[in-house]
Amino acid sequence: MAAPRRRTSAELQVNGGLMPPSAHVIASSRGGSGGGAPSREDHAVTTNGGGPAHRGGKQRGGSSACSATKVSGRRRPAGRMPLWRVFIFASVALNVAALPLLLHQYIVSHPHHPGVVSPDQQQHHAYAPQPGTSGAAASAPSTGKPAVTTDSVINLDHGDPTMFEAFWRETGDAAELVIPGWQTMSYFSDVGNVCWFMEPLFDQQVRRLHRTVGNAAVDGYHVLVGTGSTQLFMAALYALSPADANQPTSVVSTAPYYSSYPAVTDFLRSGLFRWAGDANSFVGDSYIELVCSPNNPDGAIRDAVLSSGAGKAVHDLAYYWPQYTPITRRADHDIMLFTVSKSTGHAGTRIGWALVKDREVARRMTKFVELNTIGVSKDSQLRAAKVLSAVSDGYDGGASRHRLFDFGRRKMVERWRMLRETAAASGAFSLPEETSGRCNFANETAANNPAFAWLRCDREDVEDCAGFLRGHKILTRSGNQFGADPRYVRVSMLDRDDAYDIFISRLASLK
């Protein structure tokens, strides 16, 4: 008897069995680690062209047609394919070829079957997010509020400036922006600036636009950026409130005042400041007065009503733009707040800015934004800079048909004409008297056409104007939220044309 052969180092043990040197190892496609390092269970071994290696020399699960077979060294002669196999093959081929035609016929006959995607649905599904997809192919950008019909509830409670969409659709690529994936990744923008997270391009375009319009001084001012002017309003309250005061600083504004002033001031119940109501009834020396001009909700031109060495004023100039009011002077207050929401209509970009004289106040306001949100989105800043640049280009480069303030002025003049005529004809509503002034920007006399209408219900049986209009599918904001009589409502004048036209039609039907 021959002595047993010694195993060589070329023989490998796999899963408890032996694999001859001629075997090949392949990665299994079943289950497993899906792209990571394969586990031991994710391997299979083929032997002499046969099946998987056996644990302990035995195949799991009993015998299998995939087990290794012994090669006899002789090839079986190939015979002709039986005729019945030819018929089966031809039948399968014909049915597969006809399958698309049958499927199309089924879709036409059963368009509402849950498993069928009709041609009308294909575009929707093309933009619907799919598992594992991302980017532009995954979903379409939102378009805000849906379109309205004659039966829709018309929501004019919010000042959503969708009126400007028509203008920006016509400007082509003038306000378009592409941001490569590697840009705007750092927290920092300009470390030498008081507002270290502000993009220099945004600072530049803010100053350029104010010089073009002439509505605010920028020389000698610090420009600060915020997530909308509301964040900067809160930053101003923080910066102007003494940290060592015995009691919170009183925050006031002349009624009717912007409805968010008391809500934002008292939201966090801060120990630094608190809402104290109407500035006309305030008694004291230490305060922060909020001056909104043109005023939200009634469009009046406002000045501070209080005067004290210990008092401070914050001027909210969100609506001091040529489409709403004549630009009669270059404002030069200590703190002035602006926003792209009402200047250009880009509310979704969430960008506002402040012009601040005092460096220490600017530093404290910047600190608030830093603590609140660790800066402001650079992507939004760059988009806002591009938009502001497009607005200035319309007036700085000679003749241009893309002039935002001209577009806005025409829209507001027409809408106010429609509303004043409707209110006068109804006898049930009234509006503040129209005012006008010399506009330095337009170089002509222009009327004041505010972004909101301060509408009064004059019917004796109506004490709650907002409730009355709600009953006719018109949503507005009640006067009591502005520190005024509930017979008044604030109506947004900035919605799309279709919504505004339906509002006018319904208002005309109310006598």
Side-chain angles (χ1 to χ4, degrees):
M1 177 179 297
R5 182 177 63 84
R6 296 178 62 184
R7 294 184 177 91
T8 67
S9 60
E11 294 176 330
L12 304 175
Q13 186 173 3
V14 180
N15 291 336
L18 296 176
M19 183 176 69
S22 61
H24 301 281
V25 180
I26 62 173
S28 171
S29 63
R30 58 176 174 81
S33 56
S39 66
R40 289 182 59 186
E41 297 301 323
D42 288 338
H43 289 81
V45 181
T46 57
T47 306
N48 294 332
H54 305 165
R55 189 179 297 274
K58 296 182 181 180
Q59 179 154 342
R60 290 180 289 179
S63 62
S64 170
C66 295
S67 62
T69 59
K70 184 177 181 180
V71 178
S72 64
R74 292 183 299 176
R75 177 174 295 181
R76 178 183 300 173
R80 295 181 178 179
M81 180 180 292
L83 189 59
W84 62 272
R85 290 189 179 180
V86 175
F87 288 145
I88 291 178
F89 180 84
S91 176
V92 171
L94 289 172
N95 278 281
V96 170
L99 184 59
L101 181 61
L102 295 172
L103 182 59
H104 173 75
Q105 183 62 36
Y106 184 82
I107 290 175
V108 173
S109 304
H110 304 79
H112 302 295
H113 190 280
V116 172
V117 179
S118 67
D120 293 340
Q121 296 172 305
Q122 289 177 358
Q123 184 175 0
H124 169 75
H125 284 283
Y127 290 105
Q130 302 295 325
T133 63
S134 62
S139 61
S142 68
T143 56
K145 295 183 294 187
V148 297
T149 68
T150 54
D151 294 326
S152 296
V153 174
I154 304 302
N155 189 347
L156 301 180
D157 180 302
H158 305 288
D160 200 21
T162 48
M163 176 190 80
F164 294 96
E165 286 178 356
F167 172 83
W168 291 109
R169 287 180 184 274
E170 297 296 324
T171 58
D173 60 358
E176 291 181 3
L177 177 69
V178 176
I179 302 177
W182 58 268
Q183 277 189 333
T184 68
M185 295 179 65
S186 172
Y187 286 113
F188 302 95
S189 292
D190 184 0
V191 295
N193 197 333
V194 171
C195 189
W196 53 266
F197 45 78
M198 181 175 62
E199 286 292 303
L201 184 61
F202 179 73
D203 184 328
Q204 172 189 330
Q205 293 302 329
V206 163
R207 295 178 187 273
R208 178 191 177 198
L209 183 62
H210 282 303
R211 291 187 178 110
T212 298
V213 177
N215 60 340
V218 291
D219 294 336
Y221 281 80
H222 299 280
V223 177
L224 313 180
V225 66
T227 305
S229 59
T230 298
Q231 186 184 43
L232 291 167
F233 155 58
M234 298 175 68
L237 296 184
Y238 169 82
L240 296 177
S241 299
D244 56 353
N246 295 327
Q247 60 183 5
T249 301
S250 296
V251 180
V252 297
S253 187
T254 301
Y257 40 72
Y258 177 34
S259 59
S260 288
Y261 285 161
V264 172
T265 301
D266 286 344
F267 181 68
L268 295 179
R269 300 182 180 180
S270 171
L272 295 176
F273 45 80
R274 62 179 175 82
W275 179 250
D278 189 349
N280 285 313
S281 58
F282 177 75
V283 177
D285 293 327
S286 181
Y287 59 84
I288 300 173
E289 182 179 358
L290 306 175
V291 183
C292 186
S293 183
N295 189 44
N296 177 357
D298 62 358
I301 302 301
R302 289 275 183 84
D303 288 312
V305 300
L306 300 177
S307 178
S308 167
K312 300 291 189 296
V314 176
H315 284 76
D316 184 347
L317 305 183
Y319 304 96
Y320 192 44
W321 296 99
Q323 65 266 47
Y324 307 120
T325 190
I327 305 302
T328 58
R329 61 182 294 266
R330 192 184 301 271
D332 57 355
H333 308 290
D334 289 346
I335 301 176
M336 298 179 284
L337 306 182
F338 297 89
T339 173
V340 299
S341 172
K342 301 308 184 291
S343 57
T344 72
H346 291 82
T349 303
R350 304 309 310 128
I351 286 288
W353 68 92
L355 303 177
V356 183
K357 277 185 180 179
D358 186 87
R359 181 181 178 85
E360 179 59 21
V361 173
R363 188 195 66 78
R364 285 178 56 81
M365 289 179 66
T366 299
K367 188 64 177 179
F368 177 89
V369 178
E370 174 188 330
L371 295 174
N372 189 231
T373 54
I374 318 182
V376 177
S377 167
K378 293 186 182 181
D379 295 351
S380 290
Q381 292 186 57
L382 292 178
R383 187 192 186 198
K386 183 69 172 179
V387 167
L388 298 184
S389 175
V391 175
S392 295
D393 287 347
Y395 295 93
D396 290 349
S400 174
R401 62 189 182 90
H402 299 306
R403 292 186 167 182
L404 176 71
F405 302 126
D406 294 17
F407 168 88
R409 169 63 60 179
R410 289 193 300 269
K411 280 284 187 184
M412 298 307 294
V413 167
E414 175 62 15
R415 290 187 174 194
W416 272 98
R417 182 193 63 78
M418 294 168 62
L419 180 58
R420 290 189 183 280
E421 290 178 355
T422 301
S426 72
F429 304 97
S430 58
L431 293 159
E433 290 186 6
E434 182 180 79
T435 60
S436 62
R438 179 71 182 179
C439 181
N440 297 328
F441 173 75
N443 197 28
E444 63 182 14
T445 299
N448 189 27
N449 295 294
F452 298 100
W454 191 232
L455 187 69
R456 187 182 191 277
C457 288
D458 292 333
R459 286 177 39 161
E460 294 183 358
D461 60 335
V462 175
E463 295 184 357
D464 176 11
C465 191
F468 172 69
L469 293 175
R470 190 184 307 115
H472 295 275
K473 296 184 179 181
I474 301 172
L475 301 185
T476 58
R477 190 169 299 185
S478 176
N480 58 19
Q481 296 187 51
F482 302 88
D485 193 318
R487 289 184 177 85
Y488 287 91
V489 293
R490 191 195 73 171
V491 181
S492 171
M493 302 288 286
L494 303 179
D495 213 308
R496 297 187 182 103
D497 287 345
D498 53 358
Y500 189 79
D501 290 345
I502 294 173
F503 159 67
I504 290 295
S505 177
R506 287 188 190 166
L507 201 68
S509 69
L510 304 178
K511 304 295 184 181

